[in-house]
Amino acid sequence: MRAKSQHVQEFFYIHAEIFLIGLTVLMSIVSFFYFYQAGLTMEYGDARAHVNISRRVYDNLTPGFAQLGGVWLPLLHVLMLPTIWNNWMWHSGLSGSIISMIAFLIGATYLYRLMLVLTKSKGAAFIGILLMITNINLLYLQATPMTESLFLCTLIMSVYYLTLWTTNQQTGFLIVSGIMIYLTTINRYEGWPVAVVSIMIVGWVLLAKQPLRKAESRVILYTTIALMGIALWLIWQLAIFHDPLYFLHSEYSAEKGTEIFFKLGYLPTKGNIYISILAFYYSLLHVVGFITIPSIVLLACSLSIFLLFLTLRKIFYEYLPSFLFVVPGLFLIYTLFQGNIPLWVPEIKIPGQELQYFNVRYALYSLPAIVLFPSLFLKNNYIKLLFVVVIVINAYTLLPHNGTDIATIYDTRNKIFLSAKHTADWLKSSYKGGYIMASAAAGDSIMFQIGTPLNKIISEGSGYYWKDSLKNPEKFASWVIISRDGRDSLQKKINKISMKKNFTLIKDFDYYKIYHNNQVIFPQ
Amino acid sequence: MLFYLFDMFFTACLIYRGFIKAPEIAISSSDIGNIHVWPTYTILCPLYKEWNVLSQFITAMNDLEYPKNRLQVLLLLEEDDAESIRHLQSKSLPDYFEIVIVPHSLPKTKPKAMNYGLHLSRGEYIVVYDAEDIPHPLQLKKTVVAFQQTDPSIVCIQAKLNFYNAHQNFLTRAFAAEYSLWFELLLPGLQSLGAPIPLGGTSNHFRTSDLRLLDGWDSFNVTEDCDLGMRIIKHGFGTAIIDSTTLEEANSEIINWFGQRTRWIKGYIQTYFVHLRTIDLFGYNLKKPHAFMFHFIVGGKVASLLLNPFLWITTSIYFLSKGTALGDDIEAFFPGIVLYIAAVCFVFGNIAQIIYYMIGCIKYGHDAIVKYIFFIPLYWVCMSIAAWFAIYELITKPHYWSKTKHGLYTPLAPALAQARELIDEKLLEKSL
């Protein structure tokens, strides 16, 4: 009996990666179906915008790749192109969810491999990865067409290949790592500081291990690949919008987006590093769990040990790339301090704001660091067992209890979302055809819910139709939707005299106003 | 446009295979040690007004670690090159060297001289070296072992080529980067696919009997190596790349470079037209689409050189004039899909090419050249200009052989110093 049990143990040990993949696939699919049947996979306004951006490439008054836009980075939208043409894949969001799910699987597998390389222990690596695949917030996001899962996947892969490279100096691994960094930079802006730090790490390792000439050539190669995405994005912005920094200046940029929040006093982190760190820390507790606390301690231990050895001139280069996992968190703190994004947690009260959660999902970018660093300390079986218990309790605490929801679901809820839902519900019953004019910011969420083909929408990406309609809104549009968002370009640029003369305010929701063209018979 | 798109992905595939899989034949010293009796080997060296680099060639041949009594070096001189003949006849050459004077006749080309040499060869194996070549000392032995180890259908083994004066100026750096990409990554990649391989001008080794079976070289083709590579495939044979390098002199003068490049491209066009006549001989095997590869590698590459300037200009003008009447006209003229593919190829294709060049340089060891790769588009412009000259020459003087001058690096102290790092001091001696 004992021999049989040992045989089973050995079998799982040998096939740990296959077992891990199977378990991850199971977790991924089950959680997708759970959130899908609960109607939650498209709850994020951003999720709807992501699928719409990709869909617009085909389905638009002026279709084309220019519809990929200029503020959000394009990787997810490009990856959705092969399937987004299908109405069901678009409306269910499955076009993007599939990518998130695949990315989740690959990310988990590579994080396991990375931990295996660093710990040389399948047990420690396997236990560590359990923390990732049992995180309900990540399981939710990997079921949605959001960029988080994809970001984690490419980030983890880049660190894995960089780690392999530090151990054997094979240029092939350096190239693959550079390609992964490139993909990270065209998925989320958090990837940009990661790229810069990764170049510094590569330079450090090369200067230590190679003659100057070899170091120089490899740094140039790596930098060219890693920064290619950023360069291409700037070229794209220049080509499409005639401004390489359009993503920084446009009305939909983070800077413009947070202006109103700042005026309303909703940005407590701006200019306050303590609150910024605190907000980040609490968001970690909400989306990753209480395990954050020991994990941060162990991360600090790892860093201290590393620095201690550094002073003794004994550097364990293979651990160096892992510190890249810390960069998105530090960047988040920096952007909070700069006031580029709002991040609300219940622990930090904001006067006049009843919502408790906003953008807490960003803390998930630090999940690989929280998974990895404890696993480096799983040296004996008792500690491993203890860690498994901790993981189970941590996973349990993140689950909804007594009518509450998980943090990332709360994250989706806001007034704008509810107003968009009411607007969409009303329009769904009243809309019988004709062009709808609305800015992308206002229109994306509503149009998605109505289910109107996107070629019935006149927005910023509609070229001539948009420009002409701003002057003469009555020329094409039967409906005009204007939001109260200060960023809504329609609100600012539309010919108000013409609007007053030719349109009637039909419905005024909390956030959106719906106008109807007087020359078109209102559908009864 | 589809060609460019395919080229982008296909080149990436070749780079992957060439870099990660490294399919070139690698021969170890223990493999060499297993052979005790070495077969006879003929070395063909066509010379025309190049006596100034001959001392280097003789030293390089002398350095070959191959039994000299098994070597036959044929120095193929043209009848009208009186100066070289006089210089050579006044010297006492090693006894395995033979001076062959090729009778004057037209066309006056390198392949014609080599065909003449082929008739006089006694070696079981045969190889072509240019006068400025410095093959790796073990190259002949490695090749013999490689022939024994590979499939009998492999009738040609191509050694890699690179340069000993790569750092002389930007032109030589770009040339070295191009060769590093071609011989270190693309040719091994093509070999791994069993595709037709346009041979390099020198250091291609054959069993002499196979070469005779193939009727030697096409005397009228000014890029006879490319033509022979295609004929090898048409006969059902193959070419393999060996991990041994011959160092050459990179062209360091722009006019000289233009002459050489114009001839090469002209030869590619000749090869393309000649082989189109019997395209069916490439066969119709879907697993080995040789005809498609031939169109792609020989015809497509030349076509892209000719088209590139127009596409660069049009795409640049489009992006610069976007939103203006001209931009709208360009947008209206090209179907959307063409415009998109063009834009993708223009941006991704060019950046990818730059990265490929860097990888090629790193693989060979030209680390100091990598930083210059950002300027390689200037070199591409020169190649396109040469391609248009080639079209002109193809019409006006199709069999004209623009002779490349060699020994241009020797008067330059920095270039000499760099060459000394790569080749033996005695190879730089001018006296015989």
Side-chain angles (χ1 to χ4, degrees):
Chain A
M1 191 68 183
R2 194 170 179 178
K4 197 180 175 186
S5 151
Q6 200 171 352
H7 185 70
V8 171
Q9 262 186 354
E10 269 176 25
F11 178 82
F12 278 117
Y13 193 77
I14 293 165
H15 300 98
E17 186 170 313
I18 295 169
F19 187 62
L20 163 79
I21 291 171
L23 190 63
T24 312
V25 168
L26 189 72
M27 295 292 284
S28 172
I29 291 174
V30 168
S31 52
F32 171 76
F33 278 108
Y34 171 76
F35 291 114
Y36 183 73
Q37 59 80 29
L40 293 169
T41 53
M42 298 304 288
E43 285 290 274
Y44 268 113
D46 285 4
R48 293 188 287 269
H50 282 307
V51 290
N52 275 3
I53 287 172
S54 186
R55 172 79 179 195
R56 275 195 215 115
V57 173
Y58 302 108
D59 180 7
N60 200 282
L61 274 172
T62 51
F65 281 104
Q67 299 299 331
L68 288 172
V71 176
W72 277 350
L73 288 158
L75 182 63
L76 179 67
H77 311 142
V78 171
L79 292 177
M80 282 193 281
L81 287 176
T83 52
I84 200 73
W85 54 269
N86 181 285
N87 282 344
W88 183 72
M89 294 291 277
W90 169 40
H91 266 282
S92 62
L94 194 61
S95 185
S97 297
I98 286 175
I99 290 157
S100 291
M101 289 160 77
I102 294 170
F104 175 68
L105 172 65
I106 297 172
T109 309
Y110 271 87
L111 189 57
Y112 165 79
R113 288 180 182 179
L114 175 66
M115 289 192 285
L116 194 56
V117 170
L118 295 176
T119 62
K120 313 275 188 302
S121 160
K122 280 189 180 179
F126 194 89
I127 292 167
I129 211 68
L130 287 179
L131 181 57
M132 179 175 174
I133 63 172
T134 56
N135 184 296
I136 189 70
N137 290 300
L138 182 59
L139 285 171
Y140 171 58
L141 280 168
Q142 67 90 40
T144 65
M146 297 283 277
T147 52
E148 278 69 17
S149 179
L150 192 56
F151 174 79
L152 288 178
C153 171
T154 53
L155 175 66
I156 291 166
M157 286 181 79
S158 65
V159 172
Y160 171 73
Y161 283 109
L162 207 55
T163 306
L164 289 189
W165 171 76
T166 56
T167 57
N168 62 22
Q169 294 287 295
Q170 282 186 22
T171 311
F173 291 128
L174 190 66
I175 293 169
V176 179
S177 173
I179 292 169
M180 289 303 138
I181 288 284
Y182 153 68
L183 293 175
T184 311
T185 61
I186 57 167
N187 185 31
R188 291 202 60 89
Y189 290 105
E190 286 82 354
W192 294 24
V194 170
V196 173
V197 177
S198 75
I199 291 165
M200 289 157 73
I201 290 174
V202 167
W204 185 359
V205 175
L206 277 168
L207 285 172
K209 292 195 170 187
Q210 299 282 357
L212 188 63
R213 192 178 283 183
K214 275 194 167 187
E216 178 198 82
S217 65
R218 279 147 185 82
V219 166
I220 292 172
L221 173 67
Y222 183 80
T223 306
T224 308
I225 299 171
L227 297 187
M228 179 170 67
I230 298 173
L232 288 176
W233 187 240
L234 299 182
I235 293 169
W236 169 266
Q237 304 265 314
L238 182 67
I240 304 292
F241 304 106
H242 303 284
D243 176 7
L245 301 175
Y246 173 82
F247 64 98
L248 285 178
H249 305 144
S250 85
E251 59 261 42
Y252 299 120
S253 65
E255 186 190 341
K256 293 274 166 32
T258 51
E259 262 175 20
I260 183 103
F261 284 104
F262 185 63
K263 282 176 193 164
L264 293 168
Y266 293 171
L267 278 181
T269 58
K270 188 168 183 176
N272 188 330
I273 192 70
Y274 174 68
I275 299 286
S276 301
I277 294 170
L278 215 55
F280 173 58
Y281 169 71
Y282 284 126
S283 62
L284 274 173
L285 286 182
H286 286 291
V287 297
V288 181
F290 69 83
I291 207 157
T292 299
I293 300 163
S295 202
I296 288 174
V297 173
L298 292 172
L299 167 63
C301 287
S302 307
L303 194 62
S304 308
I305 295 167
F306 187 82
L307 291 173
L308 178 70
F309 279 104
L310 186 65
T311 54
L312 298 171
R313 292 185 178 274
K314 273 189 178 178
I315 306 166
F316 297 104
Y317 289 103
E318 66 270 30
Y319 292 98
L320 206 49
S322 298
F323 287 104
L324 277 179
F325 289 140
V326 181
V327 176
L330 295 176
F331 182 68
L332 178 60
I333 293 171
Y334 171 75
T335 50
L336 289 173
F337 176 72
Q338 286 290 315
N340 288 332
I341 55 161
L343 195 157
W344 302 338
V345 285
E347 290 79 2
I348 299 171
K349 303 285 178 211
I350 300 166
Q353 177 53 250
E354 55 201 64
L355 281 175
Q356 294 189 312
Y357 292 88
F358 194 35
N359 285 337
V360 288
R361 67 183 186 279
Y362 292 152
L364 273 178
Y365 302 143
S366 300
L367 185 62
I370 287 172
V371 169
L372 177 78
F373 288 100
S375 71
L376 300 178
F377 295 87
L378 299 180
K379 293 294 178 195
N380 71 49
N381 287 341
Y382 291 110
I383 296 176
K384 282 178 191 166
L385 192 64
L386 178 69
F387 197 61
V388 171
V389 174
V390 171
I391 288 172
V392 171
I393 298 170
N394 185 72
Y396 177 75
T397 58
L398 291 174
L399 293 174
H401 301 287
N402 305 325
T404 60
D405 239 324
I406 62 171
T408 39
I409 297 282
Y410 280 126
D411 208 18
T412 64
R413 306 272 157 75
N414 56 55
K415 278 186 184 171
I416 301 170
F417 166 76
L418 290 171
S419 182
K421 197 167 169 21
H422 295 149
T423 313
D425 286 345
W426 184 85
L427 261 177
K428 210 171 185 176
S429 58
S430 307
Y431 175 74
K432 297 286 186 285
Y435 288 108
I436 303 171
M437 190 179 186
S439 69
D444 263 335
S445 195
I446 297 168
M447 300 312 156
F448 181 82
Q449 290 175 70
I450 305 170
T452 327
L454 295 180
N455 60 17
K456 290 286 176 195
I457 295 159
I458 301 168
S459 66
E460 290 90 329
S462 307
Y464 157 76
Y465 296 94
W466 172 257
K467 285 179 192 165
D468 207 22
S469 295
L470 284 175
K471 291 176 198 157
N472 310 298
E474 72 285 359
K475 190 171 176 185
F476 301 112
S478 302
W479 306 81
V480 173
I481 303 171
I482 298 178
S483 81
R484 291 221 174 95
D485 188 341
R487 294 182 296 162
D488 187 346
S489 51
L490 196 55
Q491 187 197 94
K492 289 180 193 165
K493 295 176 186 168
I494 200 159
N495 182 342
K496 293 184 178 63
I497 298 164
S498 184
M499 273 299 288
K500 200 170 184 181
K501 188 176 159 194
N502 297 301
F503 283 82
T504 307
L505 178 66
I506 297 284
K507 203 80 184 164
D508 188 356
F509 289 94
D510 187 32
Y511 192 75
Y512 297 101
K513 285 180 178 169
I514 303 176
Y515 295 86
H516 193 262
N517 192 331
N518 299 335
Q519 291 161 22
V520 180
I521 299 164
F522 184 73
Q524 297 299 320
Chain B
M1 274 310 122
L2 285 177
F3 166 78
Y4 280 90
L5 196 65
F6 176 76
D7 182 44
M8 209 168 78
F9 289 109
F10 185 66
T11 309
C13 165
L14 292 182
I15 299 289
Y16 168 75
R17 298 182 78 97
F19 189 68
I20 305 290
K21 297 200 167 180
E24 56 265 55
I25 303 168
I27 304 294
S28 66
S29 50
S30 64
D31 292 330
I32 292 171
N34 291 335
I35 296 182
H36 303 291
V37 180
W38 293 95
T40 51
Y41 224 119
T42 297
I43 294 169
L44 299 180
C45 176
L47 283 161
Y48 190 61
K49 297 177 181 173
E50 290 174 289
W51 60 269
N52 57 330
V53 288
L54 200 62
S55 59
Q56 177 182 297
F57 180 73
I58 292 166
T59 312
M61 294 301 101
N62 205 38
D63 281 354
L64 286 173
E65 289 183 23
Y66 202 85
K68 298 296 183 285
N69 61 350
R70 313 296 287 163
L71 274 186
Q72 178 199 25
V73 181
L74 298 179
L75 298 173
L76 306 169
L77 297 165
E78 294 290 335
E79 192 179 12
D80 63 351
D81 184 11
E83 196 176 15
S84 297
I85 294 170
R86 184 168 51 79
H87 267 94
L88 271 175
Q89 285 179 338
S90 66
K91 310 289 178 191
S92 63
L93 295 168
D95 56 6
Y96 55 93
F97 276 72
E98 294 174 29
I99 296 172
V100 177
I101 296 171
V102 181
H104 175 72
S105 66
L106 290 175
K108 195 185 251 328
T109 59
K110 176 180 161 186
K112 189 197 70 179
M114 293 194 297
N115 281 332
Y116 196 79
L118 180 61
H119 285 290
L120 303 171
S121 65
R122 296 188 300 272
E124 194 182 328
Y125 293 93
I126 191 166
V127 62
V128 180
Y129 288 132
D130 280 347
E132 87 281 10
D133 283 3
I134 303 174
H136 188 276
L138 283 173
Q139 192 174 102
L140 299 187
K141 282 188 174 179
K142 281 185 174 181
T143 307
V144 170
V145 177
F147 269 119
Q148 289 178 358
Q149 287 185 356
T150 53
D151 189 278
S153 67
I154 298 295
V155 297
C156 174
I157 289 184
Q158 170 73 58
K160 294 174 178 179
L161 303 178
N162 221 296
F163 301 116
Y164 44 72
N165 63 328
H167 306 284
Q168 190 175 336
N169 54 34
F170 174 71
L171 191 60
T172 59
R173 286 186 183 102
F175 209 164
E178 183 193 8
Y179 260 41
S180 299
L181 174 62
W182 185 243
F183 285 100
E184 297 295 327
L185 297 169
L186 296 179
L187 286 193
L190 285 172
Q191 177 205 332
S192 73
L193 295 173
I197 291 183
L199 303 179
T202 82
S203 306
N204 24 52
H205 303 252
F206 301 88
R207 285 186 206 92
T208 311
S209 55
D210 291 335
L211 188 56
R212 286 191 174 127
L213 186 74
L214 290 163
D215 293 328
W217 294 271
D218 178 356
S219 298
F220 289 86
N221 194 310
V222 293
T223 316
E224 77 294 341
D225 36 14
C226 175
D227 167 78
L228 184 54
M230 299 306 120
R231 280 193 285 129
I232 285 171
I233 284 288
K234 279 185 168 176
H235 279 77
F237 299 135
T239 301
I241 311 295
I242 191 166
D243 193 15
S244 173
T245 302
T246 297
L247 292 176
E248 297 187 295
E249 182 190 349
N251 219 322
S252 54
E253 277 186 9
I254 190 74
I255 302 297
N256 201 26
W257 180 90
F258 263 113
Q260 185 187 45
R261 190 53 59 118
T262 300
R263 171 166 60 78
W264 287 359
I265 297 170
K266 184 172 72 177
Y268 261 60
I269 301 169
Q270 285 177 341
T271 304
Y272 186 65
F273 287 146
V274 165
H275 285 274
L276 272 183
R277 294 174 192 160
T278 52
I279 192 80
D280 54 323
L281 292 180
F282 279 113
Y284 296 99
N285 186 342
L286 279 177
K287 282 187 180 171
K288 289 189 174 177
H290 294 319
F292 175 74
M293 288 293 186
F294 162 72
H295 287 302
F296 178 72
I297 297 163
V298 181
K301 291 287 179 193
V302 174
S304 66
L305 284 176
L306 294 166
L307 282 173
N308 279 347
F310 300 103
L311 298 177
W312 288 329
I313 291 166
T314 315
T315 314
S316 301
I317 290 176
Y318 168 65
F319 279 122
L320 291 173
S321 64
K322 204 168 181 304
T324 67
L326 181 62
D328 292 344
D329 286 346
I330 294 174
E331 209 167 281
F333 182 75
F334 292 104
I337 189 73
V338 172
L339 208 62
Y340 288 136
I341 296 173
V344 167
C345 293
F346 180 73
V347 179
F348 283 95
N350 287 318
I351 293 180
Q353 277 295 325
I354 285 173
I355 291 168
Y356 298 155
Y357 273 83
M358 287 180 177
I359 297 172
C361 284
I362 286 177
K363 190 175 179 211
Y364 178 72
H366 277 317
D367 292 293
I369 291 179
V370 170
K371 58 179 168 287
Y372 296 97
I373 300 299
F374 295 110
F375 302 101
I376 205 87
L378 295 172
Y379 187 71
W380 299 340
V381 172
C382 293
M383 283 162 76
S384 286
I385 295 169
W388 281 102
F389 272 111
I391 294 283
Y392 172 75
E393 253 192 24
L394 186 72
I395 298 162
T396 55
K397 37 187 180 180
H399 306 299
Y400 167 69
W401 188 284
S402 169
K403 184 74 192 99
T404 311
K405 284 183 215 157
H406 292 297
L408 298 172
Y409 75 102
T410 48
L412 302 164
L416 266 176
Q418 286 161 359
R420 258 185 213 109
E421 284 181 23
L422 294 167
I423 56 178
D424 203 308
E425 174 75 31
K426 65 186 180 216
L427 286 160
L428 300 169
E429 288 290 325
K430 282 210 155 188
S431 58
L432 279 171

